[in-house]
């Protein structure tokens, strides 16, 4: 059985008013002096002896104790509740005090009215009041009202799906040397890639304290996905996508995607090699030994040294390349450079420059060397179209080879197709022999399962070779026609062509033995002729 607390009651007698203290039962708690004092304050009873009250409280262990408080007979006091509201108004508790000997008990409404008088207007616990009315336990603390706590929210969280802390430290090789070429400085992205996701803010929900006041949840931080161009958001604004192939950066909580990667200074030990899905623009120089590779265009504002540039689009060198015998330019599109010296150049497009010196140059399109100098001196220059320059060779007789010929790739493919046709013919002959042997065995009735299987395999292979033969034959005809119809271009020079220059157009060759001015070289039948512009 649960213990019952000690409690007290005012008793009216002819000679005055007494405080009667009842002992606790089954281990219940004693009445606290502060509770008695608080009760006296509520009923404005000031004439009492603290010492006598304490004595009564201490002695009331087994038998009730009475102590006279005042000679006066006070008015009857009804049952009441001492309400305590927590400072944060999170809850209200109450300790019920027994009615005086001539007082009345409280009803449920009386209890509620007492709570209202104490400022409690929300969260009243009917079950606690009902419990008291059922048990009438005094000096016991009842939780009479409870606030509705605020539902805490959460701050918005943005997750970036790319590296926002790029590592610029060089890689250390196994032998202990430092590799400055491979630095992780570019966040490559493809069109449609998810760049960032937003877990939206949750503001939570207000609570209500026992006095009816609002309990606000803790403050949270709202965020939105911020971005520049080449980016779009999902309809709910919670997912960020790239609209282009390129690279992504984060600056001031804003995501930027560009299809041009800008190197603010030199491509060298500070940047490492550059490999990029879009365009690359180098504000400085490209230092010897380093590499720039882009699926788009490459633009270099400074000088390219003995470096390698590979572009899926154009290459534009505003100052040119001094390749030191190691520099390489390779592009699918056109190449434009102030000058080209001691380098290797390969392009599927055209070349425009002011000077080509001691370089190996191959282009599918025209090669135009203009400007003040407009010279091609030394090295090998080859194209399938025209060559236009001011000066060819030099007064020193520098060996300079100029070639206009069909694209070597076409010749190589033509040779490969011819070789494959020969192989197909040999394979077909072998299959015919196999099929003859299998047919003979079937006619004599000596064909085993293996023979039948071999016949089926050979027949299938023969069918596949026939289809391949038709495809290769058609390609062979197209390539042969292209080679036979190729007439070559012409080499024009507005200045001088010096001895030491070798001119080749198709299969014809001309060695320049005397200085020639203002002319062009053109193939006429099997010879190369010089004519005026």
């Amino acid at each position: 059985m649960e213990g019952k607390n000690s409690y007290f009651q005012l008793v009216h007698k002819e000679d005055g008013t007494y405080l009667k203290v009842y002992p606790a039962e089954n281990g219940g708690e004693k009445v606290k002096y502060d509770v008695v004092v608080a009760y006296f304050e509520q009923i404005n009873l000031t004439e009492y002896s603290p010492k006598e009250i304490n004595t009564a409280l201490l002695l009331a262990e087994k038998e009730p104790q009475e102590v006279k408080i005042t000679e006066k007979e006070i008015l009857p006091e009804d049952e009441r509740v001492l309400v305590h509201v927590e400072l944060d108004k999170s809850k209200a508790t109450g300790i019920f005090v027994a009615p005086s000997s001539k007082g009345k008990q409280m009803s449920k409404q009386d209890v509620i009215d007492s709570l209202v008088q104490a400022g409690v207007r929300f969260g009243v616990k009917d079950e606690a009041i009902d419990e008291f009315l059922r048990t009438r336990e005094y000096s016991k603390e009842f939780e009479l009202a409870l606030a509705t706590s605020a539902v805490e929210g959460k701050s918005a969280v943005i997750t970036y799906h790319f590296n926002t802390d790029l590592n610029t430290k060089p890689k250390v090789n196994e032998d202990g040397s430092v590799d400055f070429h491979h630095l992780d400085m570019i966040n490559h992205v493809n069109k449609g890639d998810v760049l960032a996701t937003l877990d939206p803010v949750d503001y939570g929900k207000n609570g209500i304290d026992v006095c009816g006041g609002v309990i606000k949840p803790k403050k949270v931080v709202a965020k939105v996905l911020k971005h520049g161009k080449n980016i779009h958001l999902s309809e709910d604004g919670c997912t960020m996508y790239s609209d282009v192939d390129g690279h992504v950066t984060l600056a001031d909580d804003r995501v930027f995607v560009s299809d041009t990667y800008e190197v603010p200074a030199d491509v060298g030990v500070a940047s490492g090699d550059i490999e990029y899905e879009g365009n690359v623009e180098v504000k400085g120089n490209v230092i010897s030994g380093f590499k720039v590779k882009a699926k788009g265009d490459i633009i270099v504002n400074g000088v390219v040294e003995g470096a390698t540039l590979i572009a899926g689009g154009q290459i534009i060198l505003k100052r040119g390349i001094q390749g030191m015998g190691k520099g390489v330019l390779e592009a699918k599109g056109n190449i434009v450079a102030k000058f080209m010296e001691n380098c290797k150049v390969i392009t599927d497009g055209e070349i425009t420059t002011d000077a080509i010196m001691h370089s190996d140059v191959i282009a599918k399109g025209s090669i135009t060397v203009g400007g003040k100098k407009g010279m091609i001196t030394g090295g090998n220059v080859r194209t399938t179209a025209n060559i236009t320059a001011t000066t060819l060779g030099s007064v020193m007789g520098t060996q300079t080879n100029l070639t206009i010929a069909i694209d070597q790739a076409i010749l190589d493919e033509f040779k490969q197709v011819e070789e494959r046709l020969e192989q197909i013919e040999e394979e077909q002959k072998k299959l015919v022999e196999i099929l003859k042997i299998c047919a003979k065995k079937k006619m004599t009735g000596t064909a085993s399962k293996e023979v039948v299987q071999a016949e089926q395999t050979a027949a299938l292979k023969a069918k596949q070779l026939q289809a391949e033969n038709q495809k290769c034959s058609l390609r062979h005809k197209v390539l042969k026609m292209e080679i036979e119809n190729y007439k070559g271009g012409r080499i024009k020079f507005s200045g001088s062509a010096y001895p030491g220059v070798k001119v080749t157009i198709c299969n014809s060759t001309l060695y320049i033995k005397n200085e020639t001015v203002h002319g062009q070289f053109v193939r006429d039948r099997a010879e190369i002729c010089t004519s005026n512009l």
Side-chain angles (χ1 to χ4, degrees), residues 306-491:
T308 299
L309 275 60
I310 301 174
Q314 301 184 96
I315 293 178
I316 299 174
L317 310 182
K318 295 185 178 179
R319 293 184 61 187
I321 176 171
Q322 171 50 271
M324 307 174 189
K326 300 180 293 182
V328 176
L329 303 179
E330 187 175 331
K332 293 293 184 183
N334 299 331
I335 295 179
V336 179
K338 187 68 175 175
F339 66 89
M340 299 175 178
E341 184 173 359
N342 286 304
C343 62
K344 182 177 181 180
V345 181
I346 302 173
T347 176
D348 289 349
E350 298 182 351
I351 292 176
T352 303
T353 182
D354 286 359
I356 298 176
M357 296 168 284
H358 309 288
S359 299
D360 290 329
V361 177
I362 300 174
K364 289 185 180 180
S366 296
I367 297 175
T368 303
V369 185
K372 292 183 179 179
K373 295 182 178 180
M375 65 180 182
I376 301 175
T377 302
N380 303 287
V381 176
R382 177 188 177 109
T383 179
T384 64
N386 299 319
I387 297 175
T388 302
T390 301
T391 303
L392 304 179
S394 72
V395 293
M396 303 297 293
T398 306
Q399 182 63 45
T400 305
N401 300 319
L402 306 178
T403 302
I404 294 178
I406 193 166
D407 187 2
Q408 187 61 44
I410 294 175
L411 298 176
D412 292 341
E413 185 184 359
F414 182 73
K415 183 179 178 181
Q416 291 172 1
V417 172
E418 276 194 331
E419 290 174 352
R420 181 56 187 154
L421 284 171
E422 291 175 2
Q423 292 172 357
I424 290 172
E425 185 178 355
E426 290 298 320
E427 290 178 30
Q428 285 177 327
K429 288 179 180 179
K430 292 177 182 179
L431 289 173
V432 169
E433 292 300 320
I434 293 173
L435 290 170
K436 285 181 180 179
I437 294 171
C438 291
K440 186 178 293 186
K441 288 187 177 183
K442 286 174 70 176
M443 288 181 67
T444 58
T446 59
S448 62
K449 289 183 178 179
E450 289 76 11
V451 171
V452 174
Q453 181 64 44
E455 182 184 39
Q456 292 174 350
T457 302
L460 178 61
K461 181 64 176 176
K463 185 177 181 180
Q464 292 172 345
L465 285 175
Q466 182 61 30
E468 186 180 358
N469 183 70
Q470 292 176 355
K471 183 178 179 182
C472 287
S473 295
L474 179 61
R475 183 58 181 164
H476 185 269
K477 289 179 182 179
V478 171
L479 292 172
K480 185 178 181 180
M481 187 178 298
E482 190 170 349
I483 293 170
E484 290 176 348
N485 291 336
Y486 179 73
K487 302 302 180 183
R490 58 186 62 201
I491 299 173

Side-chain angles (χ1 to χ4, degrees), residues 28-264:
E29 295 181 0
K30 291 182 179 180
V31 176
K32 295 179 181 178
Y33 174 78
D34 292 344
V35 174
V36 177
V37 172
Y39 174 67
F40 285 172
E41 288 179 355
Q42 277 205 7
I43 63 174
N44 296 318
L45 180 58
T46 58
E47 296 179 12
Y48 61 86
S49 169
K51 183 177 180 181
E52 290 181 355
I53 292 174
N54 264 322
T55 300
L57 294 175
L58 290 172
L59 294 177
E61 291 188 1
K62 295 183 179 180
E63 297 293 333
Q65 298 291 319
E66 283 188 358
V67 58
K68 189 174 183 179
I69 296 174
T70 177
E71 298 289 339
K72 299 178 182 178
E73 183 178 357
I74 64 174
L75 295 173
E77 289 292 338
D78 294 336
E79 191 176 52
R80 73 170 55 220
V81 59
L82 305 178
V83 178
H84 172 72
V85 178
E86 296 290 335
L87 286 176
D88 62 1
K89 301 178 183 178
S90 60
K91 67 177 179 179
T93 57
I95 296 176
F96 289 88
V97 179
S100 65
S101 56
K102 293 183 180 181
K104 298 183 296 182
Q105 292 183 330
M106 301 178 77
S107 66
K108 185 172 185 176
Q109 188 58 48
D110 292 334
V111 177
I112 293 173
D113 290 344
S114 296
L115 288 170
V116 172
Q117 188 175 359
V120 178
R121 294 176 175 82
F122 180 82
V124 175
K125 300 177 68 173
D126 288 328
E127 64 274 17
I129 298 173
D130 293 339
E131 181 187 351
F132 166 72
L133 296 176
R134 186 177 67 255
T135 62
R136 297 290 174 178
E137 288 188 57
Y138 303 114
S139 301
K140 174 183 175 181
E141 187 175 82
F142 287 84
E143 189 176 74
L144 299 178
L146 188 64
T148 297
S149 300
V151 177
E152 298 298 340
K154 62 177 182 178
S155 295
V157 176
I158 295 177
T159 302
Y160 296 103
H161 299 279
F162 58 90
N163 185 10
T164 59
D165 183 19
L166 294 177
N167 175 25
T168 57
K169 293 182 180 179
K171 174 186 174 185
V172 179
N173 299 318
E174 291 183 1
D175 61 1
S177 61
V178 177
D179 183 358
F180 286 98
H181 290 273
H182 299 93
L183 302 178
D184 184 15
M185 299 184 67
I186 303 176
N187 284 315
H188 298 282
V189 293
N190 297 315
K191 182 177 180 180
D193 282 355
V194 175
L195 304 176
T197 49
L198 170 67
D199 188 3
V201 65
D202 180 355
Y203 290 101
K205 188 178 180 180
N206 289 339
I208 304 177
D209 62 33
V210 295
C211 296
V214 175
I215 302 175
K216 293 186 176 294
K218 294 178 181 177
K219 288 186 177 180
V220 292
V221 178
K223 295 180 180 180
V224 294
L225 294 176
K226 300 177 182 178
H227 63 88
K229 63 179 183 178
N230 299 325
I231 291 173
H232 75 275
L233 301 181
S234 58
E235 288 187 7
D236 60 5
C238 293
T239 307
M240 181 186 293
Y241 299 94
S242 174
D243 292 336
V244 297
D245 295 340
H247 74 284
V248 57
T249 55
L250 180 68
D252 297 328
D253 297 326
R254 189 179 296 273
V255 179
F256 297 91
V257 169
S258 173
D259 56 1
T260 297
Y261 178 68
E262 185 177 293
V263 182

